[in-house]
Amino acid sequence: MQLLYGFLLAGIISFLAYRAHSLNKSGTIAATVMGAIIFGLGGYKWAILLLAFFITSSALSRAFKNRKQDLAEKFSKGNERDAGQVFGNGGVAAAFVLVHALYPESILGWVGFAASLAAVNADTWATELGVLNPTPPRMITNLKKRVEKGTSGGISLLGTVASLLGSALIAILAAFLNPTERLITDYWSLALLITFAGLAGSLFDSFLGATVQAMYFCPTDQKETEKHPLHTCGTPTIHIRGFSWLNNDIVNLACATFGSFIALLFISTIQ
Ligand SMILES: [Zn+2]
């Protein structure tokens, strides 16, 4: 029965997001399926965490639109999220709901779920707010090197603070909504642990962006871009570095996985 409610709730929210141009068609279907699993198997506490990510990241994508306009060409996708982005950001979270369904007594399902969302939320907040940093970002692999705003692997002070806050929001909700009754530590320690795990996931995302993520070049605009096969101007882009299969969706999946991994590693050391 809860699965049916979950499906309905996920369907309604996804449809509203589609109407608001936050999701395209494939993204709407993917979000309905994933929301149904998370709301249906988890329940309202899991829904709150997922919605905190979904609502704040959609809102931040829209905010400061004018100041971000000229950066749109850098990113592979616009404001409308497709199925790849939905699974990249929420796939790991959905997997941890399944872990919880199998082992409802354990806190590991919840912590893994929360840390994966903390990581993708941290990454999204950093991307959306980092571009407002007054000076150009520095490469995470070489802090002496300044790069153009919006470059994958670039980090800035504002972006890193945004990342920390994005992670902390999910972490604090997770600590106080813990559905398992089992508290391995006090609320604030749990919140702190998940915050750091989320931040680590988002830094890992930048690291992959700077090293192995597929990057392309537009010969018309003489610019580096994530867009492939075509740039916003319509010119076919040329592969310049990284593994061609390692696109932004897979990097997001890795960010979420790394965040969960770090959180579970912390938990295993204090348990
Ligand atoms: Zn171009």
Side-chain angles (χ1 to χ4, degrees):
M1 200 59 200
Q2 194 181 313
L3 258 176
L4 184 66
Y5 284 133
F7 181 74
L8 284 176
L9 181 64
I12 292 167
I13 293 169
S14 304
F15 181 70
L16 290 175
Y18 173 70
R19 291 290 297 270
H21 300 286
S22 289
L23 294 168
N24 71 5
K25 268 187 194 153
S26 75
T28 306
I29 295 166
T32 303
V33 171
M34 206 153 60
I37 293 172
I38 292 174
F39 301 170
L41 290 179
Y44 80 94
K45 292 177 172 174
W46 306 69
I48 291 173
L49 251 65
L50 181 66
L51 289 175
F53 160 65
F54 186 67
I55 293 170
T56 60
S57 57
S58 301
L60 286 179
S61 301
R62 282 154 199 284
F64 318 106
K65 227 174 180 166
N66 295 337
R67 292 178 63 181
K68 287 192 280 197
Q69 203 98 61
D70 50 328
L71 285 162
E73 76 206 16
K74 276 252 174 209
F75 300 111
S76 57
K77 288 158 185 175
N79 281 343
E80 285 195 5
R81 284 157 168 78
D82 62 18
Q85 279 172 301
V86 170
F87 285 122
N89 283 309
V92 177
F96 276 108
V97 178
L98 296 175
V99 170
H100 170 76
L102 293 172
Y103 306 99
E105 300 296 304
S106 168
I107 197 177
L108 297 184
W110 177 251
V111 170
F113 172 81
S116 80
L117 287 178
V120 294
N121 203 47
D123 176 48
T124 308
W125 283 36
T127 305
E128 300 295 348
L129 294 173
V131 295
L132 303 176
N133 198 65
T135 54
R138 293 164 188 274
M139 215 57 183
I140 190 169
T141 46
N142 176 6
L143 293 175
K144 282 182 189 152
K145 187 180 167 197
R146 286 198 185 272
V147 289
E148 231 185 297
K149 279 188 188 184
T151 303
S152 286
I155 58 169
S156 65
L157 181 62
L158 187 63
T160 308
V161 170
S163 178
L164 192 64
L165 293 177
S167 187
L169 171 71
I170 301 291
I172 291 168
L173 286 173
F176 287 91
L177 290 172
N178 177 8
T180 61
E181 311 267 316
R182 295 195 71 198
L183 210 56
I184 36 158
T185 164
D186 65 285
Y187 290 120
W188 290 106
S189 304
L190 184 59
L192 201 64
L193 183 156
I194 296 171
T195 301
F196 276 108
L199 182 67
S202 130
L203 290 174
F204 184 62
D205 185 291
S206 299
F207 178 73
L208 294 181
T211 54
V212 288
Q213 186 182 347
M215 272 317 140
Y216 301 89
F217 183 77
C218 170
T220 306
D221 296 291
Q222 296 285 308
K223 267 183 181 162
E224 200 173 284
T225 175
E226 287 178 355
K227 292 202 171 182
H228 186 72
L230 296 181
H231 192 220
T232 26
C233 65
T235 312
T237 54
I238 301 158
H239 180 232
I240 46 168
R241 64 181 162 93
F243 298 110
S244 50
W245 54 269
L246 200 70
N247 61 25
N248 200 252
D249 298 334
I250 297 178
V251 170
N252 282 336
L253 206 59
C255 161
T257 306
F258 192 76
S260 304
F261 171 75
I262 293 293
L264 296 180
L265 197 69
F266 279 152
I267 291 272
S268 69
T269 59
I270 56 176
Q271 228 170 6

